[in-house]
Amino acid sequence: ANFKEIRKHILDAQAGIEVHSDAELANRLIWLLDDPEQARSMGARGEIMIRQNQGAMNRIYELTAELLG
């Protein structure tokens, strides 16, 4: 998967946020610090996403090896 696909998955899963400037980054960090439940929830979604995608490269290799015989 390329970075754009990964970014889309992260945003779709609400496991991260996208910022476009230093000021926006600072505002989002303050927002997360002010809302620890939101930060925990986002972190939990990120952890789920990582667990779901662990071993993806091995699965791709195994499928490719199967197809190539």
Side-chain angles (χ1 to χ4, degrees):
N2 65 37
F3 183 75
K4 287 182 180 182
E5 290 176 30
I6 294 168
R7 178 191 142 276
K8 181 180 178 346
H9 288 298
I10 290 169
L11 294 175
D12 288 349
Q14 297 179 337
I17 53 176
E18 183 173 19
V19 297
H20 301 285
S21 69
D22 295 348
E24 189 177 0
L25 174 61
N27 287 335
R28 292 304 217 154
L29 288 172
I30 291 168
W31 170 68
L32 288 170
L33 289 170
D34 286 343
D35 190 348
E37 181 56 38
Q38 176 64 28
R40 275 191 290 277
S41 180
M42 188 180 296
R45 289 189 297 268
E47 185 177 356
I48 289 167
M49 216 181 125
I50 288 170
R51 288 175 193 249
Q52 288 174 340
N53 289 288
Q54 281 180 330
M57 190 55 125
N58 286 339
R59 289 192 302 272
I60 290 169
Y61 172 79
E62 289 168 3
L63 288 170
T64 303
E66 249 181 64
L67 290 171
L68 296 175

